[in-house]
Amino acid sequence: MKDCLFCKIVAKEIPAEIVYETGRTLAFRDIDPKAPTHVLVIPKEHHADAAALAEADDGLTDEVLKAAHAVAVLDQVAERGYRVVFNTGPAAGQTVFHTHAHVLGGRDLTWPPG
């Protein structure tokens, strides 16, 4: 998708603070962090939201979740606890329509979220 912000980050057309990368995933720091650790994990392949990613059914969803855990380990929040959030659709707060998981940690996270 030529106008997709995250596709442009994957293509290195827009800079991002990349913290983890595999052949099919990319993780980078959120520009408006909501916790000490706030990293977005995306598939390099464009899928509009988590539902579209799940429907692709090619193991990519698993790779995104494994990358999210790897980020938590790298940022040293895995042992104490972290949250992985997929916002799917505008009513859920999704603003960039390229699947992305938010990895949040480094502070106590309340429930329910805002």
Side-chain angles (χ1 to χ4, degrees):
M1 308 275 322
K2 68 179 185 175
D3 291 332
C4 173
L5 173 67
F6 291 170
C7 287
K8 289 179 179 182
I9 290 173
V10 169
K12 308 291 195 265
E13 295 172 6
I14 295 176
E17 186 181 343
I18 296 170
V19 297
Y20 186 78
E21 185 171 5
T22 68
R24 299 202 314 158
T25 67
L26 185 70
F28 52 93
R29 300 221 179 265
D30 194 295
I31 61 169
D32 185 23
K34 304 303 181 201
T37 290
H38 190 167
V39 174
L40 303 179
V41 180
I42 66 170
K44 290 180 178 179
E45 180 180 297
H46 184 88
H47 295 279
D49 56 31
L53 181 64
E55 287 177 5
D57 193 32
D58 65 352
L60 189 52
T61 304
D62 181 55
E63 289 185 45
V64 169
L65 286 175
K66 286 179 179 179
H69 177 67
V71 164
V73 170
L74 287 170
D75 263 25
Q76 300 179 347
V77 297
E79 188 172 311
R80 185 158 182 262
Y82 62 97
R83 184 173 290 164
V84 178
V85 177
F86 288 91
N87 297 322
T88 302
Q94 185 178 6
T95 58
V96 177
F97 290 88
H98 181 125
T99 304
H100 55 285
H102 296 258
V103 180
L104 300 147
R107 68 168 173 81
D108 289 342
L109 300 168
T110 60
W111 194 261

